[in-house]
Amino acid sequence: MDEDSPFLTNSSRIGATTPRSNNSHLDMSSFNNQHNNGALLGGAQPRDRLRYRRSSFTPLFDRDDSGIYEGATEKYINDPIHGHVLLDADTLSCIDTPQFQRLRDLKQLGSAYYVFPGATHNRFEHSIGTSHLAGELVERFRDTQPELEISASDVKCVKLAGLCHDLGHGPFSHVFDNEFIPRAIPGSNWTHEQGSEMMLEYLVEDNHVDLDREEINFIKDLIMGERRGNSQRRAFLFDIVSNKRNSLDVDKYDYLQRDCYNVGIKSSIDCSRLMKMSRVIDDQICWHHKEVYNLYELYHTRFSLFKRVYTHRVGKAIEYMLTDALLAADSVMGISQAIFHAEQYLYLTDDIIRQIERSHEPGLEDSKAILKRIRTRNLYKFVDELLIPLEKLRILTKENINSAEIVSCQGPNDHLRQEDVIVEFLKNNYAMKDQNPVDGIKFFSKTNHSVSYHIPKEKVSSLIPSEFQENIIRVFSRDPTKVRAVHEAFRRLMSRFYRSSDGSSNLPPSSTSPYYNSRNTSPERASAYATSWMQQQDRQSSPIRHSSGGSTKRRDRSPSPLSGRRVRSNGGLKSLGDGVMDISDNE
């Protein structure tokens, strides 16, 4: 850890003392014996069998004037989510490297920070939290189930996998690997997990970290959540950091709590309880049957975060702007090629947009213009969205619904271009696509800890959902002045797929669109109302002379749907007259 770290740190080892020049006269021996050697370590044990009891009182001493507590090989940090977290020597050997310190400059929620000002947390603290939880869980299994024969190497590698699982994230996290790379390198299947493997190799080699080849490969497999090669490690270990069975892992435990805390969302999930109510049966992590509803709550919390935060319409608009800015700068700065070179990827962080803004390189004008729009809040605009029913998933596809098809449905004077329109196919789910993730979880009873079984959702609650994924089509406009034209073209296109047997359209109402209210259920009627209203306002806004005092006054002009001016809000919508509603700034 660097010397000016804001984290709170402690002595190198529980029970150890390090004399200080200004406190050398203090005798701490009786205090150490009473509070550490016996109470915390459970009596004399071999060094490799020491058990740290983090829930017990641990004195923090060796304090300097900066308020930092630390020893020679181990430290404590004060984390807002997990409290005081112990960082052992193996963990510190990876933390105190340029490759890991890079995570300080990667926002955990990427573009969502531009919408939620409290989301300032980074991949750095999330990775430390994940490592802490991974260590807590594997050490608990080791202590309570000695028959598992968990080795010291198992514990070390699981903790380091939690620490290093996000080393490969690029600028603005998932914006980089989900949006930028597929467009910059068409056909690429690169993922940030692959980037983490590359950066782990670089970290170990560049800093001479004490890991052998078998341990490095094991950590990589733990990050990917699957056993590859001829590894003889137990199968349940691969479910701790990245669980491919049911997506219930310590990575999720940490980010759900940390993200809720930072964006200001109250959450009732208790991950520490879930960890304590788990055990390994038949080489698989299982949970106490009383926790089944709490697990549904955890998955619903994840879905809620995606719905409210991760896929927020303004956050997604900024995400597309950042992607366009990076693509516009890629030919000059070679951003996408860094994924093949660890030495270059080391310096690729969220600061890339500052590098673009302060650069004088020719060819970056388009990228700078997009970034300036973000700074001045002249954003791409959300236009419309439509929830896709299950029976229409086969026809409402990217081949049928795209920017080209929408532009083909524009009005005669709309002047739309394909680059004006962004179409997004969004999937929000319970972490296992359209499957119920709890179906992949096994439970045990309090009377029999050696037998595991499934619990069907019908035996949990009648209010548990029957579907576990929603599919949404969203449309954005890069040009704020063309929102209405894009909206009407999109609704015309969608009407083709919502024809009833008598030929009439049964297209669902667009309750989030800027040009819809309960009276206007078709784009044609919405357009007619908007046109009528605009003509009326134009007539009313003409200069009118008043004879009083010989002065000339102009009647106040009401804002039009395209003027961008704000009017008084009514329940999130604003009335524009004649039955037409608008949303203020689409934010």
Side-chain angles (χ1 to χ4, degrees):
M1 301 286 289
D2 49 0
E3 294 180 355
D4 59 348
S5 169
F7 294 112
L8 188 63
T9 55
N10 187 29
S11 178
S12 63
R13 187 182 64 198
I14 296 176
T17 59
T18 304
R20 292 181 51 80
S21 59
N22 57 346
N23 289 324
S24 59
H25 63 283
L26 296 178
D27 183 7
M28 301 289 291
S29 59
S30 61
F31 180 82
N32 293 333
N33 292 334
Q34 177 182 358
H35 291 282
N36 290 281
N37 298 335
L40 296 181
L41 303 181
Q45 301 182 44
R47 181 65 185 90
D48 61 349
R49 297 292 294 173
L50 293 182
R51 301 290 185 266
Y52 292 108
R53 305 300 187 208
R54 292 168 180 77
S55 59
S56 303
F57 169 72
T58 305
L60 301 177
F61 39 82
D62 291 341
R63 178 172 181 171
D64 61 19
D65 294 337
S66 66
I68 296 177
Y69 299 81
E70 64 180 80
T73 59
E74 295 174 343
K75 299 179 182 179
Y76 272 90
I77 64 169
N78 190 11
D79 181 75
I81 307 302
H82 308 300
H84 289 90
V85 174
L86 176 67
L87 305 179
D88 58 27
D90 293 321
T91 304
L92 286 173
S93 67
C94 292
I95 291 177
D96 296 336
T97 64
Q99 291 77 12
F100 189 83
Q101 293 291 320
R102 166 183 177 270
L103 300 183
R104 290 183 184 270
D105 300 319
L106 296 176
K107 288 287 187 297
Q108 173 76 14
L109 298 187
S111 61
Y113 169 63
Y114 288 91
V115 181
F116 298 90
T120 57
H121 56 305
N122 302 314
R123 293 279 165 183
F124 179 84
E125 51 264 40
H126 162 63
S127 297
I128 291 178
T130 302
S131 176
H132 165 69
L133 293 181
E136 289 280 307
L137 189 58
V138 71
E139 287 175 355
R140 180 181 175 278
F141 291 151
R142 181 185 62 183
D143 294 347
T144 60
Q145 296 183 259
E147 69 276 8
L148 297 177
E149 299 181 345
I150 298 175
S151 66
S153 176
D154 290 335
V155 174
K156 177 176 74 170
C157 291
V158 167
K159 293 171 71 173
L160 292 183
L163 186 73
C164 299
H165 78 286
D166 275 351
L167 284 178
H169 268 292
F172 301 98
S173 294
H174 291 292
V175 172
F176 189 79
D177 56 336
N178 290 348
E179 299 292 341
F180 171 71
I181 289 298
R183 293 176 60 186
I185 309 176
S188 172
N189 58 357
W190 184 88
T191 64
H192 75 270
E193 288 88 357
Q194 296 174 5
S196 295
E197 292 190 17
M198 176 184 72
M199 294 303 290
L200 174 63
E201 290 276 3
Y202 184 35
L203 183 153
V204 172
E205 179 183 356
D206 189 48
N207 300 278
H208 309 289
V209 176
D210 186 18
L211 290 172
D212 60 39
R213 172 48 53 186
E214 192 275 335
E215 288 178 325
I216 294 174
N217 291 336
F218 179 40
I219 293 173
K220 288 182 178 180
D221 290 350
L222 292 170
I223 292 174
M224 297 298 292
E226 55 187 13
R227 181 162 47 187
R228 300 174 294 188
N230 298 320
S231 176
Q232 301 300 313
R233 310 274 184 157
R234 299 290 297 272
F236 76 90
L237 295 173
F238 298 88
D239 296 337
I240 294 177
V241 176
S242 180
N243 193 335
K244 296 296 178 65
R245 298 178 193 262
N246 47 51
S247 189
L248 192 60
D249 48 47
V250 294
D251 178 26
K252 190 171 278 76
Y253 287 160
D254 184 84
Y255 81 69
L256 288 180
Q257 296 179 98
R258 195 173 300 276
D259 292 352
C260 285
Y261 175 84
N262 282 277
V263 301
I265 293 178
K266 304 299 181 183
S267 172
S268 61
I269 60 173
D270 187 354
C271 293
S272 62
R273 174 184 170 89
L274 289 174
M275 291 174 59
K276 292 176 181 177
M277 302 293 277
S278 63
R279 63 183 286 108
V280 177
I281 303 175
D282 297 331
D283 218 8
Q284 180 177 343
I285 301 175
C286 305
W287 281 262
H288 195 285
H289 70 94
K290 287 185 177 180
E291 300 306 305
V292 60
Y293 188 76
N294 291 335
L295 292 176
Y296 276 107
E297 281 291 290
L298 181 144
Y299 287 114
H300 182 76
T301 299
R302 177 192 180 277
F303 169 79
S304 181
L305 281 170
F306 269 87
K307 188 79 171 177
R308 301 163 62 184
V309 179
Y310 306 153
T311 63
H312 189 284
R313 61 178 63 167
V314 179
K316 292 295 291 186
I318 296 175
E319 183 174 306
Y320 287 120
M321 298 184 76
L322 291 170
T323 302
D324 286 349
L326 294 178
L327 287 170
D330 191 32
S331 60
V332 177
M333 304 183 70
I335 301 171
S336 61
Q337 295 304 307
I339 65 174
F340 305 112
H341 307 283
E343 296 81 0
Q344 299 176 23
Y345 201 71
L346 174 65
Y347 301 103
L348 192 58
T349 66
D350 292 354
D351 186 60
I352 186 66
I353 64 172
R354 285 297 190 186
Q355 296 180 34
I356 295 172
E357 288 176 317
R358 61 174 171 257
S359 175
H360 298 289
E361 287 288 335
L364 294 178
E365 291 78 9
D366 291 343
S367 182
K368 289 182 178 180
I370 296 172
L371 295 176
K372 185 174 182 179
R373 287 184 60 179
I374 296 177
R375 302 295 188 192
T376 57
R377 210 63 178 183
N378 181 22
L379 308 178
Y380 295 172
K381 293 298 181 181
F382 168 80
V383 174
D384 201 356
E385 72 177 12
L386 189 65
L387 188 64
I388 307 175
L390 290 178
E391 63 272 14
K392 292 189 178 294
L393 282 177
R394 292 185 177 182
I395 60 173
L396 298 180
T397 63
K398 294 181 180 180
E399 289 72 26
N400 296 328
I401 311 298
N402 51 58
S403 58
E405 292 294 333
I406 292 176
V407 169
S408 70
C409 296
Q410 65 179 302
N413 298 314
D414 288 341
H415 308 295
L416 292 180
R417 303 170 300 170
Q418 288 191 35
E419 54 266 31
D420 295 329
V421 182
I422 300 173
V423 180
E424 175 188 26
F425 280 76
L426 181 64
K427 296 181 179 180
N428 289 333
N429 52 50
Y430 270 35
M432 295 296 289
K433 297 183 179 180
D434 59 348
Q435 303 299 310
N436 180 0
V438 182
D439 288 342
I441 296 177
K442 288 188 175 182
F443 299 88
F444 61 89
S445 67
K446 63 180 180 181
T447 58
N448 192 340
H449 290 181
S450 60
V451 176
S452 62
Y453 55 90
H454 293 284
I455 300 179
K457 68 183 185 68
E458 292 78 11
K459 293 186 178 295
V460 180
S461 172
S462 59
L463 299 182
I464 291 176
S466 58
E467 298 177 13
F468 295 90
Q469 177 171 275
E470 64 176 15
N471 297 273
I472 299 173
I473 298 176
R474 273 184 175 177
V475 180
F476 296 83
S477 174
R478 287 186 171 91
D479 188 342
T481 66
K482 296 181 179 180
V483 171
R484 187 181 68 174
V486 174
H487 169 254
E488 293 177 357
F490 173 67
R491 301 297 289 183
R492 291 190 191 101
L493 174 62
M494 297 307 299
S495 295
R496 299 176 182 176
F497 303 95
Y498 283 85
R499 294 293 179 187
S500 58
S501 57
D502 60 359
S504 61
S505 175
N506 58 1
L507 181 64
S510 177
S511 58
T512 55
S513 121
Y515 298 97
Y516 168 78
N517 74 357
S518 59
R519 293 166 54 192
N520 301 332
T521 57
S522 71
E524 291 76 17
R525 293 192 65 185
S527 177
Y529 276 115
T531 302
S532 173
W533 178 86
M534 293 176 68
Q535 292 174 349
Q536 179 183 359
Q537 296 304 310
D538 287 340
R539 290 194 299 269
Q540 292 178 354
S541 62
S542 59
I544 300 179
R545 293 185 175 275
H546 298 272
S547 59
S548 174
S551 63
T552 300
K553 296 182 179 180
R554 182 182 295 271
R555 182 176 296 175
D556 291 339
R557 184 184 183 95
S558 300
S560 72
L562 302 180
S563 66
R565 294 173 57 188
R566 297 180 182 269
V567 296
R568 184 173 299 172
S569 175
N570 180 17
L573 297 177
K574 59 184 182 180
S575 176
L576 300 178
D578 201 22
V580 181
M581 307 295 286
D582 201 353
I583 299 177
S584 179
D585 283 350
N586 295 329
E587 293 186 31

